[in-house]
Amino acid sequence: MDRISVRTLFFGVYGELAARREGSAELAADSTVADLVEALRGPGGLDWLPERVVVAVNQGYAEAGTVLSDGDEVALIPPVAGG
Amino acid sequence: MSKRANDRVRTWITRESLDDFGRFENIVREIGSVEDGALLFFQGRVRRTNRGRAVSRLRYEAYGEMAERELAAIGHEALERFDVGSVAAAHRVGDLGLGEVSVAIAVTSAHRDAGYAASRWIIETIKVRLPVWKHEHYEDGESHWVGAPPLEAGTSSGGSRFE
């Protein structure tokens, strides 16, 4: 597979700023979390998104170097404020 | 200890009120043991004044399935890290008014030291790990996502303020 598609989720203030709670992104196969973030921040995109944004893949915290697979659920996690 | 770890940890994310102390205590009785001589109970409640501003109400949003998994992981990790018998922890989501319980934690242990340490560790870990966000509404009509990053002027939307 040359391209993969991932589901993106935007929580908290990110959902408000992106004006959407979820979306999808097409990426080259073997793309990483960092590649996705770069693509999202790209021209006409979510330029306010921090370069080192916290990300969860399939409901677990992930590293920038985590390799994504087709169908992954990728959540962009703003600073948490539970408690 | 006769109970397995899964029977000694109970965690959940809920839209329902956590204010009923008796209901929470019943769960503690189910998962605890007569070996535990100490019970520590912690509630976090919606406070009126936050960073000098008068809060009128707030809304917690969670990444539901992940929050359930993280809270369960925190509960089990507490059992491994501290000499405690059982852990119960719950977090509210949705709309909360002033004084309502947003988070409830109970720890039973043979002796008090481990219970105090575990309870403190659980709430501090929830605050850094649990994927839950707080949208505060203020008496002056403004609202704000707590912990939101600073933004340049003009990029804000929906009348919200960001620090």
Side-chain angles (χ1 to χ4, degrees):
Chain A
M1 193 181 291
D2 297 345
R3 308 282 293 173
I4 60 168
S5 175
V6 299
R7 183 172 171 229
T8 51
L9 300 177
F10 302 90
F11 287 100
V13 71
Y14 293 170
E16 189 170 302
L17 291 170
R20 61 179 184 269
R21 306 298 299 273
E22 58 176 285
S24 62
E26 281 225 352
L27 300 160
D30 299 325
S31 289
T32 63
V33 164
D35 295 331
L36 171 65
V37 172
E38 196 184 325
L40 289 171
R41 296 175 75 237
L46 313 176
D47 56 355
W48 41 264
L49 201 61
E51 204 171 331
R52 300 182 67 86
V53 60
V54 175
V55 167
V57 177
N58 299 331
Q59 298 156 19
Y61 287 112
E63 305 291 330
T66 299
V67 176
L68 298 172
S69 302
D70 192 53
D72 277 352
E73 177 177 297
V74 184
L76 300 165
I77 309 273
V80 299
Chain B
M1 186 68 60
S2 55
K3 286 182 178 175
R4 288 175 303 182
N6 277 349
D7 299 325
R8 295 157 54 205
V9 175
R10 191 79 58 86
T11 60
W12 68 104
I13 307 289
T14 182
R15 306 192 79 84
E16 291 173 27
S17 172
L18 291 171
D19 290 27
D20 186 344
F21 187 90
R23 195 166 157 235
F24 203 82
E25 202 204 352
N26 287 341
I27 289 167
V28 174
R29 288 196 180 278
E30 274 176 41
I31 64 175
S33 145
V34 289
E35 298 300 327
D36 299 333
L39 161 63
L40 266 169
F41 193 82
F42 174 86
Q43 287 182 332
R45 296 179 172 193
V46 178
R47 186 180 56 227
R48 190 168 75 93
T49 305
N50 198 19
R51 292 174 230 196
R53 301 193 70 176
V55 174
S56 56
R57 64 188 170 90
L58 56 78
R59 178 165 53 88
Y60 280 103
E61 173 183 304
Y63 182 7
E65 292 161 306
M66 181 177 169
E68 292 276 7
R69 281 162 63 154
E70 278 297 314
L71 193 54
I74 290 167
H76 282 277
E77 219 173 302
L79 217 57
E80 286 165 18
R81 284 171 172 257
F82 304 94
D83 188 13
V84 297
S86 70
V87 171
H91 202 293
R92 272 291 293 279
V93 290
D95 296 312
L96 278 76
L98 299 183
E100 280 196 70
V101 175
S102 56
V103 61
I105 298 166
V107 176
T108 66
S109 53
H111 303 288
R112 65 187 179 281
D113 281 356
Y116 276 110
S119 178
R120 183 68 194 261
W121 180 86
I122 290 166
I123 185 63
E124 300 304 332
T125 306
I126 282 173
K127 282 178 172 288
V128 296
R129 259 171 63 180
L130 199 67
V132 169
W133 300 276
K134 182 160 62 172
H135 196 226
E136 283 183 340
H137 292 256
Y138 306 102
E139 284 182 359
D140 61 13
E142 292 189 347
S143 64
H144 172 76
W145 282 102
V146 175
L151 290 173
E152 287 171 25
T155 57
S156 174
S157 63
S160 293
R161 272 177 45 120
F162 307 99
E163 287 177 0

